Amino acid sequence: MSNNHDKHADDHGHHELGFWQKYIFSTDHKVIGIQYGITALVFLFFGFSLMMAMRWSIAHPGEPIPVFGFLIKLLLGSDNASAQFANNIMTGTLYNSFGAMHGTIMVFLAVVPLAFGAYGNYVTPLQVGAPDMAFPRLNMVSYHTYWPGGLIMLISFFVPGGAAKSGWTSYSPLASIADHGQGIWHIFNGQTLWLLGMVMLITSSLFGSVNLIVTIVQLRVKGLTWFRLPFFTWAQFITAFLLLLAFPPLESAGIMQLMDRLAGTSFFLPSGLYVGGQALEVSGGGSPLLWQHLFWFLAHPEVYVLILPAVGIVAEIIACNTRKPLWGYKSLVFAALFLGFISFSVWAHHMYLTGMGTKVSTFFQLTTVIISIPSVIILTALMISLWGGSIRFNSAMLFATAFLPMFGLGGLTGIPLAFNALDLYLHDTYYVIGHFHYVVAPGTIFALFAGIYHWYPKFSGRMMSEFLGKLHFWPSFVCMNLIFLPMFIQGMAGMHRRWYDGGASYELSQAFIPLFQPLIPVFNAFLEAFGKNPIEGIRAIDLNLVMSWGAWLLALAQVPFIINVLGAWIFGRKAGDNPWGCTTLEWATPTPPPHGNFLKEPVVYRGPYEYSVPGADKDFTPQDEPPKS
Ligand code: HEM
Ligand SMILES: [Cu+2]
């Protein structure tokens, strides 16, 4: 290893690379990490914009979208716009399309590429003391498979009929028969392009996961034993295994669904299928349920692919900003390993309503309850880590601390869903949407923001503005809860997901919510004071307005962040090598780290979180600091 390191430095030290090799077709893990980061942030913004349009339709069904309508027309092209977005009014078809693409883009093009592609690539090799990933060229190929996958998804908005509409879950038989066109549009249509895009994205993830596993196993520097690895690196390691083992079944399933659509097979198409009153001409005999199994066999572990890196980021930030070792480091590691392992045996909790029989559903109920144990251990350890620390509430730490209760709420609201008797009632309602968004949006996305504030000085060499950071944090924190908290209430009131009119045409959404009844006199006192008519009660559907306003304000709250990221690059204060006083190896490099990372191969002498060690001369002892003799 030592020789490799020097040789690498020799190989790359002398010659200057051209623009294309340095920034576009780079093999440097740091450049690739940043490429992933920027691309994924763009997709995050795009996925979020789709949602903002959908929230208009939910809160104001049948009304034209003000101001931004022209952007949607631009996205759709004129034919699709006149069919699905006439007079700037969102149709159900367009809502379905935006909904499916919001889910797909957020999960596969934004959050996973950020959590794993960007952070995994940039930070992990630094934390293990490596000069680069184990397979730098494969790393480059991984990125250059990812963005074309995204591009295919974007192109699908333009083809006749528009982007996929069968949900991010792409359930057959709908997804096998939806969106068929004539001639070349038989291939170039929303759903087929979705599948092609997915095949690219999955392939890219597989390249990335193999690379990360080999890097962590093989390239750890001397002294960096397994239990001296920072928790972030452990989290990435387990995430890589999840991707590696869970994605191939979906990749095969995706290809099978492609064949159902293009080659006349019927893997997922049953016999005797009637569409619009006509028997469909398919060979038949296939199983729609098979698709659901293959999809969820990936998509449940995929949830942990989002969560684990987020938890890893939060752990690093908490340790550094409480100036205390993480509480229960080993229990965190074992809990995460167990979580990764058992995440492969819970998938059918998404399918309780498929008539799977009581024995099978009891099995999945049991495994799902069991998987909550390691999650609770992880969250508890992180919360206890705060105890007694002299906490430094910088922007990174604010996001990381807010992550804990919101992610916790996401997790806890999942427990009722584990029980099939309750899921019968809550399945496919806004309760579920609230539950998983607490995990992925205020949860994971807050952790990803925290990570940007934490590591930005390292990769850019500049400090971000703390003032803008706080201006980003507080409104985001309020708005996130404004959007997602009412979803639980709506869901329990029976409001279904995927309603493009937000429930306007359903009687049950007009029912008053008993929870709010005691507040009505207070409301009415206010209304009276302003000379308005009193109200009788608050209906489930009224909450749509609050949530939609929350979403638009959340968008506004991202302006300080965008200004901060771009502005700090030019105007930010110069960052030192270790501005936060952290212990792990990424801070032992020059800022920003040069090609090959470390000036001299580091040697590790201690665990990852030696903060405030009694008798030490400062309140942190870096991993590569030799013991005093
Ligand atoms: C913070 C901004 C976000 C808002 C306001 C938001 C809002 C919503 C809403 C209201 C729905 C339900 C639409 C319906 O059923 O009619 C939805 C669906 C969904 N969202 Fe989000 N979301 C956000 C972020 C995210 C993130 C970060 C992810 C994933 C990492 C995500 C993944 C999904 C998925 C998978 C669906 C289901 C799509 C489907 O039904 O096929 N969302 N979102
Ligand atoms: Cu699941």
Side-chain angles (χ1 to χ4, degrees):
M1 166 63 219
S2 165
N3 284 339
N4 276 347
H5 193 277
D6 298 341
K7 187 169 171 300
H8 188 94
D10 287 349
D11 280 354
H12 293 272
H14 314 305
H15 57 106
E16 267 300 308
L17 298 170
F19 172 84
W20 284 94
Q21 265 184 314
K22 199 163 169 189
Y23 296 110
I24 309 295
F25 294 104
S26 174
T27 53
D28 184 326
H29 73 101
K30 299 182 295 296
V31 178
I32 297 172
I34 293 173
Q35 285 176 327
Y36 261 111
I38 294 173
T39 319
L41 277 173
V42 170
F43 276 114
L44 187 72
F45 181 72
F46 180 59
F48 182 67
S49 309
L50 294 178
M51 192 60 244
M52 289 202 296
M54 291 163 73
R55 287 248 47 120
W56 177 268
S57 178
I58 294 172
H60 309 278
E63 292 177 34
I65 292 187
V67 190
F68 295 103
F70 78 98
L71 281 178
I72 297 178
K73 282 200 170 132
L74 220 62
L75 174 68
L76 297 177
S78 56
D79 284 357
N80 288 337
S82 55
Q84 300 173 5
F85 193 57
N87 304 321
N88 289 4
I89 298 171
M90 195 181 251
T91 54
T93 309
L94 187 61
Y95 184 91
N96 285 345
S97 185
F98 277 18
M101 296 311 281
H102 160 76
T104 306
I105 287 171
M106 284 303 206
V107 175
F108 297 113
L109 283 163
V111 177
V112 174
L114 260 178
F116 185 72
Y119 285 106
N121 252 312
Y122 196 96
V123 180
T124 315
L126 293 175
Q127 281 197 338
V128 300
D132 205 318
M133 288 285 238
F135 309 117
R137 282 199 182 81
L138 185 67
N139 205 14
M140 175 180 83
V141 174
S142 166
Y143 174 72
H144 289 285
T145 320
Y146 155 65
W147 70 258
L151 189 68
I152 292 176
M153 297 277 185
L154 286 183
I155 288 173
S156 75
F157 280 93
F158 291 100
V159 300
K165 308 160 192 66
S166 310
W168 82 291
T169 46
S170 192
Y171 276 6
S172 274
L174 177 62
S176 298
I177 58 176
D179 289 352
H180 271 305
Q182 303 293 326
I184 58 158
W185 307 118
H186 191 63
I187 296 172
F188 294 105
N189 55 59
Q191 187 60 34
T192 305
L193 289 176
W194 186 91
L195 286 163
L196 287 171
M198 283 302 293
V199 169
M200 308 275 294
L201 295 175
I202 295 172
T203 308
S204 151
S205 285
L206 292 178
F207 291 155
S209 55
V210 172
N211 211 343
L212 203 86
I213 291 171
V214 178
T215 304
I216 295 172
V217 173
Q218 290 293 337
L219 299 191
R220 277 171 297 128
V221 280
K222 195 162 156 241
L224 192 55
T225 55
W226 284 100
F227 283 117
R228 284 179 176 175
L229 278 183
F231 183 65
F232 173 85
T233 293
W234 267 111
Q236 290 284 345
F237 186 61
I238 299 164
T239 303
F241 269 103
L242 296 185
L243 284 171
L244 185 66
L245 300 177
F247 252 147
L250 186 66
E251 182 144 34
S252 341
I255 292 170
M256 282 150 79
Q257 201 178 68
L258 264 176
M259 289 172 68
D260 276 6
R261 294 179 58 82
L262 299 176
T265 60
S266 58
F267 290 109
F268 305 120
L269 286 167
S271 311
L273 197 62
Y274 274 70
V275 177
Q278 294 220 312
L280 209 66
E281 267 187 56
V282 289
S283 35
S287 161
L289 260 192
L290 176 62
W291 170 266
Q292 292 196 25
H293 280 293
L294 293 172
F295 180 83
W296 286 112
F297 186 78
L298 157 90
H300 191 88
E302 181 79 356
V303 176
Y304 296 97
V305 169
L306 306 167
I307 296 172
L308 282 172
V311 172
I313 292 168
V314 167
E316 299 300 300
I317 292 172
I318 285 183
C320 177
N321 288 300
T322 52
R323 317 305 289 162
K324 268 176 65 215
L326 275 185
W327 190 88
Y329 165 80
K330 276 200 182 167
S331 17
L332 276 169
V333 172
F334 284 119
L337 281 167
F338 180 64
L339 187 87
F341 182 71
I342 200 164
S343 74
F344 285 103
S345 63
V346 300
W347 79 91
H349 60 207
H350 298 273
M351 301 166 57
Y352 286 144
L353 267 70
T354 55
M356 58 173 70
T358 46
K359 285 203 182 66
V360 179
S361 78
T362 306
F363 171 80
F364 283 102
Q365 181 170 302
L366 184 70
T367 52
T368 306
V369 175
I370 290 174
I371 207 172
S372 65
I373 298 171
S375 321
V376 170
I377 292 176
I378 290 175
L379 206 59
T380 312
L382 291 177
M383 291 209 186
I384 297 178
S385 298
L386 300 174
W387 186 261
S390 60
I391 301 179
R392 185 169 62 191
F393 277 114
N394 50 21
S395 310
M397 187 62 181
L398 283 172
F399 277 101
T401 357
F403 166 89
L404 300 175
M406 295 201 291
F407 176 74
L409 191 59
L412 288 176
T413 51
I415 293 179
L417 298 172
F419 296 96
N420 54 47
L422 278 168
D423 187 58
L424 195 68
Y425 179 68
L426 294 170
H427 184 77
D428 267 350
T429 65
Y430 263 94
Y431 181 93
V432 175
I433 304 282
H435 149 65
F436 74 71
H437 279 86
Y438 260 98
V439 174
V440 293
T444 303
I445 293 212
F446 264 34
L448 298 174
F449 279 140
I452 292 178
Y453 286 103
H454 185 63
W455 281 301
Y456 188 92
K458 181 48 67 185
F459 69 75
S460 71
R462 304 278 179 165
M463 303 297 285
M464 288 175 87
S465 151
E466 280 297 316
F467 171 74
L468 287 175
K470 281 163 193 160
L471 207 60
H472 176 210
F473 170 74
W474 286 107
S476 297
F477 180 62
V478 174
C479 290
M480 281 288 189
N481 291 290
L482 221 53
I483 303 171
F484 295 115
L485 208 54
M487 289 191 182
F488 295 123
I489 300 171
Q490 281 193 330
M492 287 189 281
M495 293 205 19
H496 204 277
R497 68 193 285 197
R498 297 185 182 173
W499 273 348
Y500 85 103
D501 64 358
S505 50
Y506 292 83
E507 206 161 312
L508 64 87
S509 30
Q510 316 294 333
F512 292 136
I513 298 171
L515 183 70
F516 292 136
Q517 249 3 52
L519 296 174
I520 298 303
V522 186
F523 269 110
N524 281 341
F526 268 105
L527 289 172
E528 220 173 301
F530 289 99
K532 300 238 157 89
N533 291 337
I535 51 169
E536 258 178 78
I538 293 177
R539 303 167 304 164
I541 197 169
D542 295 330
L543 298 177
N544 282 342
L545 217 58
V546 180
M547 293 148 74
S548 289
W549 272 102
W552 302 322
L553 291 176
L554 180 64
L556 211 62
Q558 306 316 301
V559 174
F561 172 69
I562 296 170
I563 296 176
N564 207 353
V565 167
L566 299 178
W569 204 276
I570 304 159
F571 302 111
R573 207 158 30 86
K574 279 227 154 61
D577 289 347
N578 190 0
W580 311 119
C582 296
T583 49
T584 42
L585 283 183
E586 76 270 30
W587 303 100
T589 61
T591 286
H595 191 56
N597 297 341
F598 296 87
L599 298 180
K600 192 168 138 283
E601 186 182 330
V603 178
V604 167
Y605 298 98
R606 56 191 80 246
Y609 304 114
E610 297 209 356
Y611 288 102
S612 306
V613 178
D617 46 7
K618 51 188 186 316
D619 70 349
F620 68 103
T621 320
Q623 283 193 282
D624 61 336
E625 189 171 300
K628 287 200 205 79
S629 44

